[in-house]
Amino acid sequence: MDFKEIIQETYLKTDKISNKGTLATYIPQLAKVNSKSFGVYISTIDNLNFGIGDCYQKFSIQSISKVLSLSLAYKILGEKIWERLGVEPSGTAFNSLVQLETDNGIPRNPFINAGAIVISDILLSNLENPKEDFLTFVRNIANNSELNYSSKIAASEKEVGFRNIALCNFIKSFGNIKNKPSDVLDFYFDLCSLEMNCKELSEVFLFLANEGNSVTNKSILTKSQSKRINALMQTCGFYDESGEFSFKVGLPGKSGVGGGIIAIHPGKYSIAVWSPKLNTKGNSYKGMKFLEEFTTRSELSIF
Ligand code: GLN
């Protein structure tokens, strides 16, 4: 399979599409990025590494980090975490509050904000130095000490994070947040502020294509945990557009409002795409188009 050629052709074709998306202006710092940026990078199990466009430019990975915080919580506590949140697609927007009322403060899954806030709470309770320890975990996955948070992005989001503040307090009222809401939210905003370029993103996520093992053969998760996280990305990674992504792309994936998408082909590769303008569901407009065309041309998906 000549992934290189397919990526080049797909990139050129997708680059020509008129972009109907808009920047995530609700976080002031995210409104400042160059909306024309477009990068792609693939890392394969058999060691092909190839990128195109703005693949070396750092961006805010936002909700993509929810997969990494879930991975760390899962690694530490195992199946116990599912006492605090579910594994069902929510069919609602990433920042929705509505289901929490009837679900008694148990978020439907770890990838909507409510679920990621509960995971942040779990990590706060279980890590000695949560901010440092999480960063160490992420850096160790791909042996990359360059990875870091952006304090600017975290502060920018904190200033306007009224919905997340509401979510955290609402969940706390049901007893499903154990720490102080302001501490949980500070940590959640830090997690969302992680920055990576497409190359780094695809390298970090390759462990999910490799049965939970990093390229240097470190065990990050067990085979079963890795399978389950892929399953959650497949069913919940794009909020109320998860069905659409599954239908058109056919891979587990996760998006973020910084315009990044990571997609995994278990046993084969991880691919990162970045284009900051988002569709109405909060997922990268061009990123979705690119991946649809990519799996169509390569005729490879998990189905
Ligand atoms: N930090 C963002 C928020 O909480 C993450 C959302 C996203 O990337 N979908 O609103």
Side-chain angles (χ1 to χ4, degrees):
M1 176 69 54
D2 193 350
F3 284 133
K4 234 165 143 171
E5 195 181 317
I6 295 173
I7 287 174
Q8 275 162 336
E9 287 169 4
T10 308
Y11 184 90
L12 291 176
K13 182 172 172 193
T14 316
D15 206 22
K16 290 193 194 106
I17 296 173
S18 94
N19 195 333
K20 297 200 183 74
T22 49
L23 289 174
T25 48
Y26 79 99
I27 300 177
Q29 279 296 324
L30 290 185
K32 291 185 184 165
V33 303
N34 179 358
S35 64
K36 293 202 169 63
S37 309
F38 184 27
V40 177
Y41 201 95
I42 190 167
S43 304
T44 72
I45 298 283
D46 50 20
N47 217 15
L48 170 81
N49 298 288
F50 175 71
I52 191 164
D54 301 310
C55 61
Y56 300 112
Q57 206 173 308
K58 297 245 189 201
F59 60 93
S60 185
I61 74 164
Q62 290 293 318
S63 284
I64 300 174
S65 75
K66 291 171 181 170
V67 182
L68 300 171
S69 51
L70 169 66
S71 298
L72 182 54
Y74 205 9
K75 187 180 178 70
I76 297 171
L77 288 180
E79 303 306 319
K80 251 178 95 69
I81 60 172
W82 307 121
E83 291 165 12
R84 305 270 306 270
L85 74 170
V87 294
E88 290 299 334
S90 69
T92 57
F94 64 88
N95 54 7
S96 177
L97 284 125
V98 289
Q99 290 162 338
L100 285 170
E101 174 90 51
T102 44
D103 293 349
N104 295 315
I106 304 289
R108 292 271 165 111
N109 69 66
F111 296 151
I112 47 174
N113 288 12
I117 287 170
V118 167
I119 291 288
S120 303
D121 184 58
I122 292 175
L123 288 177
L124 269 193
S125 302
N126 285 280
L127 297 174
E128 199 126 321
N129 302 298
K131 199 174 163 183
E132 293 75 19
D133 296 352
F134 175 71
L135 191 59
T136 304
F137 171 71
V138 176
R139 285 177 170 177
N140 277 342
I141 295 175
N143 250 340
N144 183 348
S145 55
E146 302 282 295
L147 303 178
N148 222 328
Y149 304 110
S150 159
S151 51
K152 243 188 184 170
I153 299 270
S156 178
E157 183 167 13
K158 189 174 172 180
E159 236 171 72
V160 295
F162 305 111
R163 256 185 181 263
N164 288 321
I165 295 166
L167 279 167
C168 190
N169 281 288
F170 197 39
I171 302 169
K172 175 97 180 162
S173 77
F174 291 98
N176 197 20
I177 291 286
K178 312 295 177 194
N179 296 280
K180 235 170 81 188
S182 59
D183 292 345
V184 177
L185 287 159
D186 280 350
F187 185 44
Y188 170 77
F189 294 138
D190 282 332
L191 300 181
C192 292
S193 81
L194 263 187
E195 292 188 314
M196 292 187 202
N197 60 36
C198 290
K199 177 177 186 283
E200 291 166 335
L201 190 60
S202 75
E203 286 171 354
V204 166
F205 274 80
L206 193 57
F207 77 98
L208 286 172
N210 196 28
E211 299 183 338
N213 301 310
S214 76
V215 265
T216 52
N217 251 339
K218 269 184 289 194
S219 170
I220 312 299
L221 293 177
T222 66
K223 188 174 169 182
S224 158
Q225 287 172 330
S226 168
K227 182 215 78 178
R228 289 184 160 187
I229 291 195
N230 274 297
L232 284 167
M233 289 169 82
Q234 187 76 42
T235 51
C236 313
F238 294 77
Y239 321 109
D240 46 343
E241 202 171 34
S242 299
E244 182 92 2
F245 188 81
S246 202
F247 183 71
K248 291 193 169 155
V249 178
L251 295 176
K254 184 75 202 81
S255 63
V257 289
I261 297 180
I262 186 75
I264 311 289
H265 196 310
K268 290 195 163 50
Y269 62 76
S270 62
I271 186 165
V273 185
W274 175 50
S275 167
K277 283 188 172 178
L278 311 176
N279 65 20
T280 51
K281 308 283 188 184
N283 301 316
S284 173
Y285 182 87
K286 257 192 189 176
M288 299 265 294
K289 298 265 184 235
F290 175 90
L291 288 167
E292 180 182 353
E293 181 73 19
F294 175 67
T295 51
T296 303
R297 281 184 189 235
S298 59
E299 293 183 344
L300 279 176
S301 85
I302 65 159
F303 299 107

